């Protein structure tokens, strides 16, 4: 019979108050008790391998042990999966760290413990638990005596003397023992019963060792001797271990907590804690401040005074859901359970905050994917949460400290620098600074003020909003003085570095296509998702942090001025006027630095040295009748604006994509014989990029004309298929390349369109109405082409190469797109300024699309590239 | 010598997923068992029985027995495809003594909410049978329908449970028992049988793998009246779900939730997945609590030997 009747509706407090549907990635801190424990979501990491049964960390990695038996090692700085270690058959149930020894121990369903070198991520040796031990459900390290303690499924407690392992080991005995364990029964499995390495959960990263087979590569093996075993240490599975003051505490499915002391090179029983009552497994133990916390199946947490061996109280922690995990974390004890909740308890055992609220009621009743199974807390305020759905959540619990921009922002000296950058970006992202939308102008202004304030807090000598044209978003200006003369005001003769970027963003588009809220930074699998993450808030902030770090450490060789505009996505309205009006503020820029393009592919860092220009055009064909007519009544007797427009559009581009405007390509710089080969080489260097050299030439090097849309939306009933519209409209754009002149191309286009249109109307039979053409051709941005051999470019390439540990230079790429400000700024500050576009983002970043993102590693390394480039920029410019 | 299987979970399983479909299901074990001590013939063809509890809380289970071999009973196949239960006892029989192949001699048996089965035999049972019967209360004595040592052991268990129980409610009317009560009665039963066997001068070894449930808790033993030999094989497996892999069709004990949601005890593993199956040490009592915690208790009597050789499987 089912046990579900133990849970009746409405008797579960914590579930009743749960915020149904709240995503664990977006915690909602609802008011109740004062929440002094704040947690900021950093990342959710997902990997194949089934439920996450155990988590641990080192200085460099987060480790997650999975149901499938693999251990995933994630880099702590970038949250990238560094390695998947095939560890155990039957699941990886426990992890423990010997920080001083640099060793991670993993316990498996195969009754083995593996020791891993945490730096090299290699298996050092294997310890087999005693015969018939079942899964190694709990592990603890006593670093002093060098003992490893195992809690096993067969109710035994076992220990292994890590330090004396070589002295004690007799290789022949080990071999004999393991051979004696060979199983007639399981060896006789029928053929076709599946791979022996298949071990639960999903396949793929699974691995294990079904039979007692020889270890690969001669990994040293040990067996725990019978004298190092306490059989029936509990009457149930030994689920949990904790070490405190040289005492080992164990908890089991018998609901009992026992204490063990060191005796010689092993353990001996001590007077236990009061026997538990009831039928409630002890899933986890943690010691803190003279107290021992025991996580119970019943949903409570027993708190024991280890001195008096009395139960102090039972915390009603997770309703009636299993409490699976505990961790000591940032002055609190954090608990988690089958209700999906993660919450914190203060030293006075009062609830002090939620990391994640309970999920849905059904999830709480039937432990499932929502369950939190494992917790670990690193001393720098990072909480790691392992879930049954196979995900690993990473939370920043350092509270104000990480978000604050403090005294010591520096890449080297500030261990929290990376987290501060991301926390600041998360705050900035929340401003929905979409330009060109009147009702969002206040948001743009707030985003601008936030950036200004951030610059000031980071140590800018000056930061302010400047504006010129009424109705446009202001420009954020900030100046970091050169380290040798920080307070010096700039004039037009002062050499400077000019950073260009923008804080305005595209609209979010269809919100349903986003996996997380567009204006909430959401960390998943080492990437940061949000509108503006890669275009352009992330790169702007990374650059600001790099400059601030240089300024802080007194290594800034030249003054750096920031010009971060709010109208880039709307044609940079007002930028020219504002920069011109405040020219003195910017000094005499020698370098214009921006990060506003993407790698070719996702794997290889790139440097951008050219962009196409653009011209916008709008065509409108109108009948003088000025109203729609019924085609059944008037068809054949009236002029057709849409047909005329189609005729004109058809005369613009050939089916092969060549622009048919006469003279259009005359000024295009001939493609040199080597250029196509260069494209081919680029493609080879970016193996994840699947385009042909010709496609690259067409995207970057050759001009193009595109028709964006055609519509009759000016007429009364655009969807009505029986009307002849009175007007039709088309929007198109031209991408221009060196050495085309914007004005010349615009003029050629005007002339061609007019000519084609006129020829068309001339041939029309005499109808009751005449057609008129209105044509608007507007140059938007000039093309831009830099000399990739200029010293600044070579220095930028070197900075990228060093930061990314590359064997060769970054790929030199061009862009098909246009940034109006770039050629304009270059021209405005000519002849001194060289523009360098350092792309931080990857091709798959989805700028302007749903689920825009930037890789955290790219953001952090992007910051370091800027740091490296600017640190030595003075000597580069003197070359 | 027989084979048995018991299953407890917190959500019902289709009997076919236990009885007929797994690679080494109890049906397979009925004609191709691999781990029986007596390996002269791998057949357990002298009938079978299944007992199960439905979702109605605290009501007696249902038992279906037949003297046909389990592998040839079409009704068993049909029922297994339809019945779902969260607590199942299943047994395939190979007679040991002089007892008849009759439905009344097929395991499991029930009394009120309690259900019982046995794998093994009590050596020289005929020498203590009369004494055992004489010890029983009238009501329990009259409940015996068959002739086996196994059913008589159940009667003795009931008598012990009745003696230790407090309160006046008749045993047959009680709907639940604590797992501690069941454990104590089980130990008392074994101790009583041993005492009588000793009195009767029986020296042959008895195998007493007993299992009992009240529909909530399960208590079972792997027991032998020897301090040297191993008892009749008995395994257990626990996890969050017992089901077949979608790709391979092989059954696995899934361990996705750090929680025992399913416990299976069986004379032989139902699958060939080594890491899924644990040996119950000889002369150990296993408890599955109502909340699906597994307890293991060594049976400390004169046959207890911590140094007894333990083979893996």
């Amino acid at each position: 019979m089912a046990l579900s009747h133990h849970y009746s509706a409405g008797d579960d407090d914590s579930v009743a108050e749960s915020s149904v549907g709240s995503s664990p990635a977006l915690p909602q801190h609802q008011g109740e008790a004062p929440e002094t424990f704040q947690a900021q979501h950093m990342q959710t990491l997902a990997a194949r391998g089934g439920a996450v049964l155990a988590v641990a960390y080192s200085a460099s990695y987060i480790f997650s042990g999975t149901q499938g038996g693999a251990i995933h090692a994630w880099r702590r700085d970038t949250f990238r999966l560094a390695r998947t270690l095939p560890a155990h058959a039957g699941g990886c149930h426990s992890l423990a760290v010997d920080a001083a020894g640099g060793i991670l121990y993993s316990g498996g369903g195969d009754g083995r413990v593996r020791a891993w070198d945490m730096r090299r991520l290699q298996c050092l040796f294997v310890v087999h638990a005693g015969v018939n031990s079942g899964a190694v459900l709990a592990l603890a390290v006593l670093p002093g005596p060098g003992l490893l303690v195992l809690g096993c499924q067969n109710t035994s407690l076992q220990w292994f003397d890590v330090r004396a392992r070589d002295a004690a080991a007799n290789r022949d005995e080990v071999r004999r023992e393991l051979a004696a364990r060979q199983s007639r029964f399981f060896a006789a499995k029928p053929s076709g019963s599946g791979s022996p390495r298949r071990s639960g959960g999903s396949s793929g990263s699974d691995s294990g060792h079904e039979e007692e087979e020889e270890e690969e590569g001669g990994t040293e093996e040990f067996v725990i001797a019978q004298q190092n075993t306490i059989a029936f240490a509990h009457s149930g599975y030994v689920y949990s271990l904790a070490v405190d003051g040289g005492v080992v505490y164990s908890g089991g499915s018998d609901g009992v907590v026992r204490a063990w002391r060191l005796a010689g090179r092993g353990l001996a029983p001590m007077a236990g804690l009061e026997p538990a009552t009831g039928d409630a497994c002890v899933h986890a133990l943690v010691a803190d401040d003279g107290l021992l916390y025991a996580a119970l199946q019943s949903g409570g947490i027993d708190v024991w005074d280890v001195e008096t061996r009395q139960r102090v109280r039972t915390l009603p922690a997770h309703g009636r859901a299993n409490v699976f995990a505990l961790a000591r974390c940032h002055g609190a004890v954090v608990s988690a359970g089958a209700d999906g909740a993660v919450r914190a308890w203060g030293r006075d055992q009062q609830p002090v905050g939620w990391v994640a609220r309970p999920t849905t009621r059904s999830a709480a009743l039937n432990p499932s994917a929502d369950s939190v199974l494992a917790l670990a807390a690193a001393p720098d305020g990072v909480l790691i949460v392992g879930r049954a759905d196979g995900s690993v959540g990473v939370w920043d619990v350092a509270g104000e400290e990480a978000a604050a921009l403090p005294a010591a922002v520096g890449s080297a000296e500030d261990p929290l620098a990376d987290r501060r950058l991301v926390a600041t970006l998360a705050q900035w992202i929340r401003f929905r600074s979409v330009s060109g939308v009147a009702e969002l102008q206040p948001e743009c202004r707030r985003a601008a003020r936030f950036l200004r304030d951030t610059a000031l807090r980071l140590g800018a000598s000056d930061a302010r909003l400047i504006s010129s044209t009424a109705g446009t978003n202001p420009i954020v200006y900030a100046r970091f003085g050169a380290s040798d003369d920080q307070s010096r005001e700039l004039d037009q003769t002062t050499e400077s570095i000019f950073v260009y970027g923008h804080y305005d963003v595209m609209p979010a588009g269809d919100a349903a296509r986003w996996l997380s809220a567009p204006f909430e930074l959401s960390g998943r699998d080492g990437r940061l998702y949000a509108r503006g993450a890669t275009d352009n808030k992330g790169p702007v902030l990374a650059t600001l942090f790099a400059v601030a770090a240089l300024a802080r450490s007194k290594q800034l060789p030249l003054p750096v001025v920031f010009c971060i505009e709010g109208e880039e996505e709307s044609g940079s309205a007002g930028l020219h006027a504002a920069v011109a009006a405040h020219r003195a503020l910017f000094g005499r820029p020698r370098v214009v630095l921006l990060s506003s393009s993407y790698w070719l592919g996702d794997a290889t860092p790139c440097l951008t040295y050219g962009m196409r220009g653009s011209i916008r055009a709008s065509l409108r064909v109108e009948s003088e009748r000025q109203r729609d007519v019924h085609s059944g009544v008037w068809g054949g007797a009236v002029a057709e604006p849409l047909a005329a427009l189609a005729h004109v559009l058809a005369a613009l581009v050939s089916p092969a994509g060549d622009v048919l405007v006469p003279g259009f390509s005359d000024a295009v710089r001939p493609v040199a014989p080597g250029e196509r080969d260069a494209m081919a080489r680029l493609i080879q260097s970016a193996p994840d990029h699947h385009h042909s050299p010709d496609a690259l030439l067409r995207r970057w090097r050759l001009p193009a004309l595109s028709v964006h849309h055609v519509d009759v939306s000016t007429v009364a009933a655009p969807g009505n298929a029986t009307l002849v519209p009175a007007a039709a409209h088309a929007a198109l754009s031209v991408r221009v390349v060196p050495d085309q002149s914007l004005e010349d191309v615009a003029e050629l286009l005007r002339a061609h369109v007019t000519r084609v249109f006129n020829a068309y109307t001339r041939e029309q039979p005499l109808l009751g109405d005449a057609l008129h053409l209105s044509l608007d051709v507007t140059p938007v941005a000039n093309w831009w082409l830099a000399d990739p051999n200029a010293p600044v470019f070579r220095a930028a390439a070197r900075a990228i190469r060093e930061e990314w540990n590359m064997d060769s230079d970054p790929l030199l790429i061009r862009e098909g797109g246009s940034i109006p400000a770039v050629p304009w700024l270059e021209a405005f500050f000519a002849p001194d300024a060289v523009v360098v576009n350092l792309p931080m983002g990857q091709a798959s970043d989805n700028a302007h699309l749903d689920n825009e993102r930037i890789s955290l590693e790219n953001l952090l390394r992007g910051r370091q590239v800027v740091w490296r480039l600017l640190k030595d920029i003075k000597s580069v410019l003197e070359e | 010598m027989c084979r048995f299987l018991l299953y407890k979970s917190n959500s019902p399983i289709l009997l076919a997923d236990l009885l007929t479909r797994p690679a080494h299901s109890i049906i397979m074990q009925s004609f191709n068992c691999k781990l029986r001590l007596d390996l002269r013939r791998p057949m357990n063809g002298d009938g079978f029985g299944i007992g199960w509890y439905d979702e109605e809380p605290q009501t007696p289970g249902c038992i279906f027995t037949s003297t046909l071999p389990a592998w040839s009973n079409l009704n068993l196949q049909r029922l297994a495809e339809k019945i779902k239960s969260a607590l199942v006892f299943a047994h395939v029989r190979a007679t040991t003594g002089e007892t008849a192949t009759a439905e009344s001699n097929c395991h499991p048996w029930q009394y009120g909410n309690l259900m019982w089965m046995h794998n093994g035999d009590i050596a020289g049972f005929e020498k203590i049978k009369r004494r055992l019967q004489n010890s029983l209360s009238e009501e329990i004595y009259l409940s015996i329908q068959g002739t086996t040592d196994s059913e008589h052991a159940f009667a003795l268990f009931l008598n012990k449970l009745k003696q230790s129980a407090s309160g006046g409610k008749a045993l047959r009317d009680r709907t639940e028992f604590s797992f501690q009560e069941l454990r104590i009665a089980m130990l008392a039963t074994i101790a009583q049988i041993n005492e009588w066997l000793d009195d009767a001068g029986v020296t042959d070894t008895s195998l007493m793998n007993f299992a009992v449930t009240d529909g909530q808790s399960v208590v079972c033993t792997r027991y032998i009246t020897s301090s040297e030999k191993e008892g009749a094989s008995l395994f257990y497996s626990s996890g969050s779900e017992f089901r077949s892999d979608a790709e391979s069709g092989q059954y696995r004990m899934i361990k996705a939730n750090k929680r025992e949601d399913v416990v299976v005890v069986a004379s032989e593993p139902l699958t060939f997945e080594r890491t899924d199956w644990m040996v119950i040490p000889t002369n150990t009592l296993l408890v599955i609590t109502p909340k699906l915690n597994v307890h293991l208790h060594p049976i400390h009597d004169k046959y207890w030997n911590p140094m007894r050789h333990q083979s893996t499987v």
Side-chain angles (χ1 to χ4, degrees):
Chain A
M1 56 182 286
L3 291 180
S4 53
H5 68 271
H6 284 286
Y7 305 104
S8 58
D11 61 359
D12 191 331
D13 297 340
S14 91
V15 173
E17 70 181 26
S18 74
S19 49
V20 174
S22 82
S23 156
L26 302 168
Q28 292 159 12
H29 295 291
Q30 293 159 357
E32 44 173 43
E35 299 203 342
T36 53
F37 188 90
Q38 298 288 334
Q40 196 68 42
H41 179 255
M42 294 171 79
Q43 283 281 325
T44 297
L45 314 173
R48 296 162 66 92
V52 176
L53 302 176
V55 289
Y57 60 87
S58 70
S60 306
Y61 298 103
I62 288 168
F63 300 103
S64 54
T66 64
Q67 176 194 350
I71 299 172
H72 298 295
W74 313 82
R75 287 201 59 87
R76 281 192 63 184
D77 50 358
T78 61
F79 300 103
R80 289 301 179 92
L81 181 62
R83 197 86 60 84
T84 297
L85 307 168
H88 298 282
C92 174
H93 292 265
S94 49
L95 292 172
V97 168
D98 172 9
I103 298 177
L104 170 77
Y105 294 101
S106 64
D110 51 5
R112 302 177 191 198
V113 175
R114 283 179 183 272
W116 306 87
D117 180 324
M118 288 201 293
R119 203 170 46 79
R120 289 160 54 229
L121 301 178
Q122 285 175 352
C123 184
L124 295 169
F125 57 90
V126 179
V127 181
H128 296 257
V131 69
N132 291 331
S133 294
V136 180
L137 297 171
L139 279 173
V141 176
L142 285 93
L147 279 192
L148 180 67
V149 184
L150 291 70
C152 295
Q153 190 185 357
N154 74 340
T155 75
S156 70
L157 206 60
Q158 307 181 16
W159 59 90
F160 180 69
D161 193 330
V162 176
R163 211 169 289 157
R165 65 180 185 272
D166 289 323
N170 178 325
R171 281 174 188 80
D172 289 336
E173 262 174 39
V174 169
R175 208 166 297 131
R176 266 198 304 278
E177 165 75 20
L178 295 180
R181 294 186 184 188
Q182 292 287 353
S183 156
R184 198 161 40 87
F185 180 85
F186 293 110
K189 69 163 64 180
S191 61
S193 90
S195 149
R197 287 181 186 272
R198 187 173 48 76
S199 48
S202 51
S203 53
S205 58
D206 291 354
S207 180
H209 306 262
E210 184 80 3
E211 294 299 325
E212 300 285 349
E213 66 205 15
E214 285 286 312
E215 282 292 327
E216 285 167 26
T219 307
E220 192 89 47
E221 293 183 85
F222 303 95
V223 176
I224 292 183
Q226 192 154 9
Q227 64 267 25
N228 287 3
T229 297
I230 298 173
F232 300 107
H234 279 258
S235 301
Y237 298 1
V238 182
Y239 260 109
S240 45
L241 291 169
V243 181
D244 187 46
V247 177
V248 177
Y249 296 95
S250 60
S253 66
D254 52 357
V256 174
V257 177
R258 296 195 191 283
W260 313 85
R261 66 183 166 80
L262 270 175
R265 303 292 301 157
L267 298 176
M270 292 170 74
L273 307 180
E274 268 179 38
T277 51
D279 179 13
C281 177
V282 178
H283 280 300
L285 292 170
V286 69
D288 183 51
D289 196 29
L291 299 173
L292 185 70
Y293 294 75
L296 303 177
Q297 181 184 10
S298 60
I301 298 173
D302 274 350
V303 186
W304 298 84
D305 184 325
V306 297
E307 191 80 36
T308 62
R309 309 207 175 284
Q310 298 276 313
R311 182 162 38 200
V312 179
R313 59 181 301 182
T314 300
L315 306 174
H318 292 264
R320 289 177 177 229
N322 283 277
V323 188
F324 282 130
L326 294 170
R328 197 170 43 207
C329 178
H330 218 67
V333 167
V334 176
S335 64
D339 56 355
V342 181
R343 62 188 309 194
W345 305 85
R347 282 263 158 89
D348 54 358
Q349 288 112 54
Q350 293 304 306
V352 290
W354 297 90
V355 178
R357 293 269 172 178
T359 49
T360 59
R361 169 174 296 268
S362 62
L365 299 188
N366 294 314
S368 65
D370 291 302
S371 296
V372 177
L373 304 180
L375 291 172
D380 56 355
V382 171
L383 179 68
I384 303 153
V385 176
R387 287 183 184 269
D389 66 4
S391 70
V392 177
V394 188
W395 298 78
D396 192 333
V397 295
E400 303 296 308
E401 289 165 45
L405 296 176
V409 176
S411 41
E413 68 267 38
D414 177 13
L416 294 179
D418 295 355
R419 281 150 71 183
R420 290 195 169 110
L421 170 57
V422 176
T424 309
L425 180 60
Q427 292 176 37
W428 200 23
I429 288 283
R430 288 200 186 99
F431 300 104
R432 298 184 302 143
S433 49
V434 178
S435 59
V437 181
E439 59 269 29
L440 290 176
Q441 247 187 4
E443 284 284 282
C444 291
R445 206 159 274 277
R446 279 193 277 273
R449 284 201 295 264
F450 178 87
L451 182 62
R452 176 200 63 195
D453 295 345
T454 301
L456 285 173
R457 280 190 299 164
L458 285 168
S461 316
D462 183 7
R464 56 176 108 162
L465 304 186
I466 57 180
S467 188
S468 59
T469 321
T472 60
N473 294 318
I475 288 166
V476 181
Y477 168 83
R479 172 170 61 84
F480 287 80
S483 295
D484 57 358
D485 189 4
Q486 236 172 316
S487 57
R488 181 178 168 191
E489 298 286 334
L490 304 189
D491 60 40
Q492 281 188 37
T493 65
T494 324
E495 284 196 334
S496 65
I497 307 295
F498 184 105
V499 177
Y500 168 77
H502 62 94
Y503 63 82
D504 64 321
V505 297
M506 293 297 285
D510 183 0
R513 298 177 67 99
W514 287 75
L515 295 174
S516 53
F519 291 99
E520 285 289 336
L521 195 68
S522 173
R524 299 195 298 274
D525 297 322
R527 298 192 172 91
L528 302 169
Y529 287 81
R531 171 61 81 230
T534 194
D535 182 18
N536 185 230
K537 286 176 174 171
V540 164
L541 215 52
T543 305
L544 183 67
F545 271 64
V547 170
L550 284 170
R552 175 71 52 189
S553 57
K554 308 239 179 294
Q555 294 179 87
L556 201 56
L558 288 175
V560 177
V561 293
F562 284 82
C563 171
I564 310 301
E565 67 154 317
E567 293 282 350
E568 196 268 352
E569 305 292 7
S570 301
S572 292
L575 175 70
H576 305 183
V579 172
H582 298 90
R583 179 161 190 164
L585 285 178
F586 298 104
R588 184 166 69 91
R590 298 292 313 277
V591 177
V592 173
L593 187 64
L594 70 152
S595 174
S596 202
S597 60
Y598 308 93
W599 292 356
L600 177 70
D602 278 3
T604 318
C606 299
L607 190 51
T608 310
Y609 69 97
M611 300 177 96
R612 297 195 290 195
S614 86
I615 295 170
R616 201 166 50 220
S618 143
L619 274 65
R620 185 175 164 84
V621 177
E622 230 169 12
S623 157
E624 59 183 18
R625 66 187 144 87
Q626 293 200 339
R627 58 187 187 89
D628 306 343
V629 290
H630 187 329
S631 65
V633 178
W634 283 100
V638 290
E640 302 246 356
L642 187 52
L645 182 67
H647 179 80
V648 172
L649 295 178
L652 296 177
V653 186
S654 80
D658 297 320
V659 178
L660 300 174
V661 178
F664 180 82
S665 297
D666 289 358
V668 175
R669 203 179 289 179
V671 176
E675 283 190 77
R676 195 179 175 284
D677 298 340
M679 298 298 157
R681 280 198 302 278
L682 268 184
I683 287 165
Q684 278 175 352
S685 317
D688 57 336
H689 186 84
H690 306 291
H691 286 285
S692 69
D694 289 317
L696 275 191
L697 279 177
R698 284 189 164 272
R699 285 170 56 193
W700 298 348
R701 178 62 179 82
L702 297 173
L705 189 153
S706 302
V707 181
H708 302 300
H709 59 92
V710 172
D711 69 61
V712 288
S713 58
T714 47
V715 303
N720 187 329
T722 62
L723 297 184
V724 183
H729 172 265
L732 46 98
S733 75
V734 178
R735 299 287 168 173
V736 298
V737 298
D739 298 306
Q740 288 177 305
S741 140
L742 279 182
E743 282 67 31
D744 290 355
V745 170
E747 192 45 49
L748 288 172
L749 181 62
R750 276 185 211 110
H752 179 65
V753 167
T754 309
R755 201 160 49 238
V756 173
F757 178 78
N758 288 343
Y760 180 86
T761 51
R762 257 200 309 280
E763 285 183 26
Q764 283 193 319
L766 196 61
L767 296 172
D769 54 344
L771 294 178
H772 298 286
L773 170 74
S774 352
L775 178 62
D776 178 20
V777 181
T778 315
V780 175
N782 215 335
W783 50 264
W784 165 69
L785 185 64
D787 171 11
N789 290 315
V792 175
F793 262 87
R794 288 207 311 274
R798 197 160 54 239
I800 293 171
R801 186 176 167 160
E802 286 170 6
E803 176 57 31
W804 286 90
N805 303 313
M806 298 169 72
D807 296 328
S808 55
D809 274 342
L811 305 182
L812 280 168
I813 59 168
R814 291 163 75 160
E815 264 248 358
S818 317
I819 301 176
V822 168
W824 183 83
L825 287 168
E826 192 173 46
F828 184 76
F829 292 119
D832 296 320
V834 176
V835 177
V836 180
N837 193 348
L838 280 173
M840 291 188 191
Q842 297 159 304
S844 65
D845 277 0
N846 268 16
H848 289 210
L849 300 171
D850 52 275
N851 297 300
E852 177 182 343
R853 69 187 190 188
I854 190 165
S855 151
L856 179 55
E857 176 167 29
N858 283 50
L859 188 72
L860 298 178
R861 288 193 188 271
R863 179 194 61 194
Q864 293 314 106
V865 167
V866 173
W867 188 88
R868 287 170 188 271
L869 173 63
L870 293 187
K871 188 163 67 72
D872 302 321
I873 195 72
K874 200 165 185 178
S875 54
V876 170
L877 291 171
E878 282 162 4
E879 268 180 41
Chain B
M1 277 301 290
C2 320
R3 305 279 76 180
F4 75 47
L5 158 78
L6 64 88
Y7 171 94
K8 176 174 162 59
S9 65
N10 56 19
S11 57
I13 189 173
L14 188 67
L15 295 194
D17 285 328
L18 280 177
L19 303 183
T20 54
R21 293 180 188 165
H24 195 58
S25 71
I26 190 90
I27 305 285
M28 291 291 291
Q29 292 177 37
S30 70
F31 63 87
N32 188 25
C33 69
K34 292 170 183 284
L35 299 172
R36 225 168 61 174
L37 293 179
D38 170 10
L39 278 171
R40 277 168 302 179
R41 57 181 184 118
M43 295 290 184
N44 295 284
D46 299 323
F48 68 89
I50 51 174
W52 71 97
Y53 292 79
D54 63 19
E55 291 195 75
E56 200 65 40
Q58 300 176 355
T59 56
C62 182
I63 287 174
F64 168 55
T65 56
S66 169
T67 54
L68 285 174
W71 66 83
S72 66
N73 190 299
L74 202 53
N75 285 328
L76 175 61
Q77 309 277 343
R78 290 183 183 125
L79 290 169
E81 291 293 334
K82 216 60 200 171
I83 295 171
K84 288 184 173 181
S85 171
L87 207 170
V88 182
F89 272 32
H91 191 281
V92 291
R93 184 161 182 249
T95 60
T96 47
E98 307 302 312
T99 52
T101 300
E103 279 185 16
S104 58
N105 282 345
C106 287
H107 313 231
W109 291 275
Q110 63 183 346
Y111 186 89
N113 265 24
L114 295 158
M115 201 179 280
W116 173 277
M117 59 185 174
H118 173 207
N119 165 27
D121 74 308
I122 299 171
F125 179 67
E126 66 281 0
K127 295 184 179 161
I128 66 166
K129 187 170 186 175
R130 186 66 167 267
R131 192 170 179 186
L132 188 156
Q133 287 175 337
N134 284 340
S135 77
L136 301 175
S137 76
E138 187 75 356
E139 184 199 11
I140 292 170
Y141 173 74
L142 291 174
S143 75
I144 297 174
Q145 296 170 328
T147 54
T148 60
D149 54 349
S150 306
E151 191 185 8
H152 281 80
F154 182 33
L156 178 59
F157 169 85
L158 293 171
N159 218 51
K160 293 291 178 191
L161 190 61
K162 184 182 157 92
Q163 284 166 6
S164 64
S166 55
K169 208 170 185 184
L171 209 54
R172 200 186 281 278
D173 299 329
R174 282 186 60 185
T175 55
E176 62 183 330
F177 300 83
S178 74
F179 62 84
Q180 292 92 341
E181 272 182 292
L182 298 178
R183 188 183 78 213
I184 288 163
M186 179 68 87
L187 292 173
T189 303
I190 290 172
Q192 183 69 75
I193 291 171
N194 282 345
E195 186 190 324
W196 287 336
L197 288 174
D198 287 349
D199 289 352
V202 176
T203 52
D204 290 347
T205 51
S206 295
L207 295 164
M208 293 186 251
N209 290 9
F210 293 131
V212 70
T213 180
D214 64 340
Q216 311 251 5
S217 307
V218 174
V219 170
C220 65
T221 55
R222 182 188 185 198
Y223 188 83
I224 187 168
T225 57
S226 160
S227 53
E228 302 299 328
K229 296 179 192 159
E230 283 193 88
S233 66
L234 196 58
F235 297 82
Y236 68 109
S237 178
S238 66
S240 51
E241 197 182 355
F242 185 69
R243 64 170 159 82
S244 62
D245 183 84
E247 284 168 34
S248 68
Q250 300 296 313
Y251 278 78
R252 287 301 315 263
M253 182 58 77
I254 310 296
K255 295 171 182 176
N257 224 314
K258 233 183 177 179
R259 205 27 253 160
E260 271 42 79
D261 294 324
V262 172
V263 183
V264 185
V265 176
S267 300
E268 297 186 14
L270 304 187
T271 68
F272 297 98
E273 301 292 344
R274 182 192 187 103
T275 57
D276 283 356
W277 294 96
M278 296 275 297
V279 172
I280 298 179
T282 292
N283 286 17
T284 301
L285 178 144
L286 180 143
V287 178
I288 309 170
T289 73
K291 293 194 172 170
L292 282 152
N293 290 306
V294 177
H295 297 177
L296 289 166
H297 298 275
I299 300 173
H300 287 298
D301 59 16
K302 67 176 176 175
Y303 299 117
W304 175 249
N305 175 9
M307 303 308 285
R308 189 195 312 254
H309 172 73
Q310 287 194 33
S311 69
T312 46
V313 174

